[in-house]
Amino acid sequence: MNQVSKIDFIKAEKLKEKPDPDTLQFGKNFTDYMFMMDFDGENGWVNPIIKPFESITLSPASFVFHYGQAVFEGLKAYKTIDERSVIFRPEKHIARLNASCKRLCIPPLDSELVLEALTTLVELEKDWIPEKEGTSLYIRPFVISTEPYLGVRPSHHYKFMIILSPVGAYYSDGQLNPVKIYVEDEYVRAVKGGVGHVKTPGNYAASILAQERANEVGYEQVLWLDGKENKYIEEVGSMNIFFKINGEIYTPKLNGSILPGVTRDSVIQIVHDWGIPLHEELISIDDLYETYQKGQLEEVFGTGTAATISPVGELKWEEHVMTINHFETGEFAKKLYETMTGFHYGKIEDKFGWIKEL
Amino acid sequence: MNQVSKIDFIKAEKLKEKPDPDTLQFGKNFTDYMFMMDFDGENGWVNPIIKPFESITLSPASFVFHYGQAVFEGLKAYKTIDERSVIFRPEKHIARLNASCKRLCIPPLDSELVLEALTTLVELEKDWIPEKEGTSLYIRPFVISTEPYLGVRPSHHYKFMIILSPVGAYYSDGQLNPVKIYVEDEYVRAVKGGVGHVKTPGNYAASILAQERANEVGYEQVLWLDGKENKYIEEVGSMNIFFKINGEIYTPKLNGSILPGVTRDSVIQIVHDWGIPLHEELISIDDLYETYQKGQLEEVFGTGTAATISPVGELKWEEHVMTINHFETGEFAKKLYETMTGFHYGKIEDKFGWIKEL
Ligand SMILES: Cc1ncc(COP(=O)(O)O)c(C=O)c1O
Ligand SMILES: Cc1ncc(COP(=O)(O)O)c(C=O)c1O
């Protein structure tokens, strides 16, 4: 990290006006700069550059449009209460990005260079990190295959880019609002042997229809079951899922079709640290319902970069409606949320080494 | 079809030189013109235009790069022996395109307009249809989601495009060369409830790794098994599969994770017409191997727009190697190939109504 940066820089002629942090919509505003790097078979990854955020020009025959060879990540930078700019667990996200590349036959990225690109770009754009508690700067690194070619085999050309988007508070009043979740028993997101355990666009494309159907009947998200038996709980649209049962914590074990969430991993470490029993195991929806009927299902919550912790107030499975904790945010989810955001905003000492300061 | 065309036209200033039909590589050369049409939430599908083939400009935040909401088709135009330009079953391909749109929550296309776009574009580019037997003009209609937005819900903007690529003869000497196929028992392409039955980029992205592994050990393609039990035969990379057993024809039935191939459908109609028993059913790889061991597996072949009919000479499943028909093209596959290409090149009367003349 002491070497001179290999990253080129083109200065923007004019900077944009920053949007009002109170009315920010997720994923709609982008900052002044972006990072870009190209891959070709002969030279590998070349031409790393930070330049003004702008459109890219591609052949309509570009591989990504036809065969979807692409991967991405999602992580966040925060402004701490003492005005430092920090990124949450970038190394872990970069490792997952490279795991995604591997599964999609995309040439691996140099992790150090990606980390340098991330930190340099966010440092340059640090005025875009909103200051209010609950807000953040969303970081989207992604790789697309760009060769103009219509045969199915790994593309010979790629672009790696990082774009940044300031995002408002997920919970407007600091109160965590429980969500209603529909247990999907017809559509399937992923199956063992497929690509569910990595972040590739096709997983999300495949999920849209079920999500729409759930919305139509008043549910905000879908809880996916496994693709083989339509029985074991996997994860929510863009969150992993946890259950508090009789004072202990349960989450589906990583089985090859669930995304290994960085927030999931962080929550597991915190719960271990608290000395509370935590079980990563196969959890069938039938068993969960039985637990619910016995009055033992105390809390349900999702974990993900977008919302950090998202309490679940209702689960609908077939004709059964499970109301969790009287549709109120549980104490445990709340405490986890405060702990996680405590790390994000520098209110708790970084004992796990998760915070990358710029 | 009698109405005045709604399709705008921009003339190219200069036309490209046509490539040598003897050395054409699949999917690398594109013709002078392309069709394009845009969708936005307010106006629907608007601005249909035929214009010079050129790059498109998109925000790096475009939905397709991140969440892969996209669909495509692949069909062919042929030059008949009496110099007519024809397209094979365009209506069937357009119907499948709209089925793909539906599953991916993409607003439906007006089938008549798409047909008009296809025929107008191919008519304009008819000098690009190579003349030699076995060659054709590959037609690639596709839809990509273009809204610059990083949340997961249907995009509000799309582009529909058609590009054309002249392709050389699949079998250089008119001899059908049998292929070696690896039965994949670890990776999975699709599962019931997912998107395997439609043409969306993510399916192909997910397939690349298995394909690469098969190539490394000397196999050209992968035969996919079902995602639930890893047992039932589904299809090959970009072909459906047929077996001739004891004089009768078998093919996996459409189960929700297999692409309903247009060539598959054509072959089924031809076989029915010939009065030969044909069974669409679940076929397990174990049963197939047993049939092979009993000496009853007479022929295996794939069907798809790219190769029309592709005889399979060897199937490798776990430690078993099945050599089919002494690694020679079977009589049945050959007769089907001649019949199908007979329709393509106008050597057989179009009794099924498959040929769309321009
Ligand atoms: C499918 C899916 N599951 C889970 C998660 C949660 O992962 P993380 O905690 O790393 O954001 C995400 C979001 O990235 C996701 O897209
Ligand atoms: C996965 C898959 N299966 C089968 C086929 C064969 O379909 P068709 O005969 O319509 O070309 C294709 C090619 O389109 C395909 O991509």
Side-chain angles (χ1 to χ4, degrees):
Chain A
M1 292 298 291
N2 275 332
Q3 85 248 38
V4 175
S5 172
K6 291 173 282 187
I7 302 173
D8 269 336
F9 179 65
I10 298 178
K11 205 167 158 26
E13 289 188 7
K14 224 184 110 188
L15 300 184
K16 301 178 202 167
E17 223 177 288
K18 311 268 183 306
D20 176 357
D22 290 325
T23 56
L24 271 178
Q25 276 185 284
F26 178 81
K28 290 223 167 168
N29 300 287
F30 300 94
T31 68
D32 293 302
Y33 290 96
M34 63 186 190
F35 174 85
M36 193 189 267
M37 181 160 71
D38 296 303
F39 180 93
D40 68 67
E42 269 163 50
N43 303 299
W45 286 108
V46 290
N47 306 329
I49 186 167
I50 288 174
K51 60 179 190 172
F53 182 94
E54 64 185 9
S55 291
I56 53 176
T57 298
L58 291 173
S59 164
S62 293
F63 206 83
V64 64
F65 298 142
H66 303 275
Y67 304 123
Q69 198 194 7
V71 297
F72 67 97
E73 264 306 318
L75 66 165
K76 282 181 170 177
Y78 301 90
K79 192 70 89 183
T80 64
I81 46 169
D82 55 349
E83 301 279 316
R84 291 171 297 127
S85 302
V86 303
I87 306 181
F88 190 70
R89 304 192 75 181
E91 294 91 348
K92 188 89 179 160
H93 283 280
I94 294 170
R96 188 170 67 185
L97 182 62
N98 263 329
S100 299
C101 284
K102 193 166 178 198
R103 180 64 182 82
L104 273 296
C105 297
I106 293 172
L109 294 149
D110 173 347
S111 303
E112 290 225 349
L113 178 61
V114 175
L115 186 63
E116 190 194 339
L118 270 182
T119 50
T120 310
L121 182 64
V122 175
E123 168 75 32
L124 176 71
E125 296 288 61
K126 63 172 183 271
D127 292 348
W128 280 90
I129 310 176
E131 306 240 331
K132 272 177 64 169
E133 169 128 14
T135 63
S136 58
L137 184 66
Y138 184 76
I139 307 171
R140 169 58 57 90
F142 64 105
V143 182
I144 54 174
S145 48
T146 53
E147 187 184 358
Y149 178 57
L150 298 185
V152 185
R153 54 110 175 104
S155 170
H156 295 165
H157 299 137
Y158 301 88
K159 263 187 201 308
F160 170 65
M161 303 182 70
I162 306 173
I163 57 177
L164 306 176
S165 174
V167 295
Y170 203 89
Y171 301 110
S172 48
D173 46 4
Q175 289 305 106
L176 281 67
N177 310 111
V179 291
K180 292 170 70 177
I181 288 192
Y182 185 91
V183 182
E184 179 58 55
D185 54 5
E186 180 186 349
Y187 297 111
V188 169
R189 189 192 88 98
V191 69
K192 189 151 188 253
V195 292
H197 59 304
V198 297
K199 273 184 98 73
T200 185
N203 289 337
Y204 300 83
S207 77
I208 295 175
L209 182 58
Q211 176 78 36
E212 285 286 291
R213 296 249 178 129
N215 291 352
E216 276 162 24
V217 292
Y219 290 83
E220 279 141 285
Q221 300 241 24
V222 158
L223 178 62
W224 298 103
L225 301 180
D226 79 288
K228 282 189 192 277
E229 300 185 50
N230 289 80
K231 179 175 165 175
Y232 296 104
I233 293 170
E234 300 226 309
E235 60 184 318
V236 183
S238 52
M239 299 194 292
N240 296 106
I241 189 118
F242 285 76
F243 305 96
K244 181 160 169 275
I245 297 170
N246 275 338
E248 306 198 348
I249 309 300
Y250 293 78
T251 192
K253 73 169 177 197
L254 302 177
N255 62 351
S257 54
I258 295 174
L259 191 80
V262 176
T263 319
R264 175 186 184 278
D265 180 83
S266 309
V267 163
I268 289 173
Q269 289 192 48
I270 292 170
V271 174
H272 280 317
D273 187 54
W274 288 348
I276 294 168
L278 183 144
H279 313 269
E280 294 181 63
E281 56 187 48
L282 274 180
I283 303 169
S284 78
I285 184 71
D286 319 54
D287 286 351
L288 187 81
Y289 184 60
E290 217 181 291
T291 305
Y292 170 78
Q293 281 185 308
K294 288 194 203 141
Q296 296 168 343
L297 183 56
E298 296 156 358
E299 290 190 34
V300 181
F301 55 92
T303 66
T305 295
T308 307
I309 304 290
S310 179
V312 177
E314 182 179 317
L315 276 174
K316 181 168 161 64
W317 171 52
E318 294 173 350
E319 70 282 12
H320 314 296
V321 172
M322 306 178 225
T323 305
I324 318 292
N325 195 39
H326 315 288
F327 210 90
E328 279 167 20
T329 300
E331 284 310 311
F332 192 80
K334 193 155 174 67
K335 194 172 154 204
L336 267 176
Y337 179 75
E338 275 158 14
T339 307
M340 285 291 292
T341 53
F343 288 118
H344 296 157
Y345 297 103
K347 295 189 278 188
I348 302 179
E349 196 217 313
D350 178 26
K351 64 188 269 189
F352 297 105
W354 289 338
I355 301 302
K356 172 90 192 165
E357 209 163 318
L358 298 186
Chain B
M1 295 298 291
N2 274 332
Q3 85 248 35
V4 177
S5 172
K6 289 173 281 185
I7 302 172
D8 269 336
F9 179 65
I10 298 178
K11 206 168 160 22
E13 288 188 6
K14 222 183 108 187
L15 299 184
K16 300 177 203 167
E17 221 177 290
K18 311 268 183 306
D20 175 358
D22 289 325
T23 56
L24 272 178
Q25 275 186 284
F26 178 80
K28 290 222 167 170
N29 300 286
F30 300 94
T31 68
D32 294 301
Y33 289 97
M34 64 187 190
F35 175 85
M36 191 189 269
M37 180 159 74
D38 295 304
F39 180 93
D40 69 64
E42 268 162 49
N43 303 300
W45 286 108
V46 289
N47 306 331
I49 187 167
I50 288 174
K51 59 179 189 172
F53 183 94
E54 65 186 9
S55 291
I56 54 176
T57 298
L58 291 174
S59 165
S62 294
F63 205 84
V64 64
F65 299 142
H66 303 274
Y67 304 122
Q69 198 194 7
V71 296
F72 67 96
E73 265 305 320
L75 65 165
K76 282 182 169 176
Y78 300 91
K79 192 71 88 184
T80 64
I81 43 169
D82 55 348
E83 301 279 315
R84 290 171 299 126
S85 303
V86 302
I87 306 181
F88 190 71
R89 304 191 74 181
E91 294 90 347
K92 188 89 179 162
H93 283 279
I94 294 170
R96 189 170 67 186
L97 182 63
N98 264 328
S100 300
C101 284
K102 193 165 179 198
R103 180 62 181 85
L104 273 295
C105 297
I106 293 173
L109 293 149
D110 173 347
S111 303
E112 289 225 349
L113 178 60
V114 176
L115 185 61
E116 190 192 338
L118 270 182
T119 50
T120 310
L121 182 63
V122 175
E123 167 75 33
L124 177 70
E125 296 288 61
K126 63 172 184 272
D127 292 347
W128 279 90
I129 310 176
E131 306 240 329
K132 271 177 62 169
E133 168 126 14
T135 64
S136 58
L137 184 67
Y138 184 76
I139 306 170
R140 168 58 57 90
F142 65 105
V143 182
I144 54 174
S145 48
T146 53
E147 187 183 357
Y149 178 57
L150 297 185
V152 185
R153 54 112 175 101
S155 171
H156 294 165
H157 299 138
Y158 301 88
K159 263 188 202 307
F160 169 65
M161 303 182 70
I162 306 172
I163 56 177
L164 306 176
S165 176
V167 294
Y170 203 89
Y171 301 109
S172 49
D173 46 4
Q175 289 306 103
L176 281 67
N177 310 110
V179 291
K180 291 171 70 177
I181 289 192
Y182 186 90
V183 181
E184 179 57 55
D185 54 6
E186 180 186 350
Y187 297 111
V188 169
R189 190 192 87 99
V191 68
K192 188 151 188 252
V195 292
H197 58 305
V198 298
K199 272 183 99 74
T200 184
N203 290 336
Y204 300 83
S207 78
I208 295 175
L209 182 58
Q211 176 79 36
E212 285 286 290
R213 297 249 179 131
N215 291 351
E216 276 163 24
V217 291
Y219 290 83
E220 281 141 283
Q221 301 241 23
V222 157
L223 178 63
W224 298 102
L225 301 180
D226 79 288
K228 282 189 191 280
E229 299 184 49
N230 291 79
K231 180 175 164 174
Y232 296 105
I233 293 171
E234 300 226 309
E235 60 184 317
V236 183
S238 51
M239 298 195 292
N240 296 105
I241 189 118
F242 286 75
F243 304 97
K244 181 160 169 274
I245 298 169
N246 275 339
E248 307 198 348
I249 309 302
Y250 293 78
T251 192
K253 72 169 178 195
L254 301 177
N255 62 351
S257 54
I258 295 174
L259 190 81
V262 175
T263 319
R264 176 186 183 277
D265 180 83
S266 309
V267 162
I268 289 173
Q269 289 191 48
I270 292 170
V271 174
H272 279 319
D273 187 54
W274 288 348
I276 294 168
L278 183 143
H279 313 269
E280 294 181 65
E281 57 186 48
L282 275 179
I283 303 169
S284 80
I285 184 72
D286 320 55
D287 286 351
L288 188 80
Y289 184 60
E290 216 181 289
T291 304
Y292 170 78
Q293 282 185 308
K294 288 194 203 140
Q296 297 169 342
L297 183 56
E298 296 156 358
E299 292 189 34
V300 180
F301 55 91
T303 66
T305 295
T308 308
I309 304 291
S310 179
V312 177
E314 182 179 317
L315 277 173
K316 181 167 161 63
W317 172 52
E318 294 174 351
E319 70 281 11
H320 315 295
V321 172
M322 308 179 224
T323 305
I324 319 293
N325 195 39
H326 315 286
F327 211 90
E328 280 167 19
T329 299
E331 284 308 310
F332 192 80
K334 194 155 172 66
K335 192 171 155 204
L336 267 176
Y337 179 75
E338 275 160 12
T339 306
M340 284 293 291
T341 52
F343 288 118
H344 296 157
Y345 297 103
K347 294 189 278 188
I348 301 180
E349 197 217 314
D350 177 26
K351 65 188 269 191
F352 297 105
W354 289 339
I355 300 303
K356 172 90 193 165
E357 210 163 317
L358 299 186

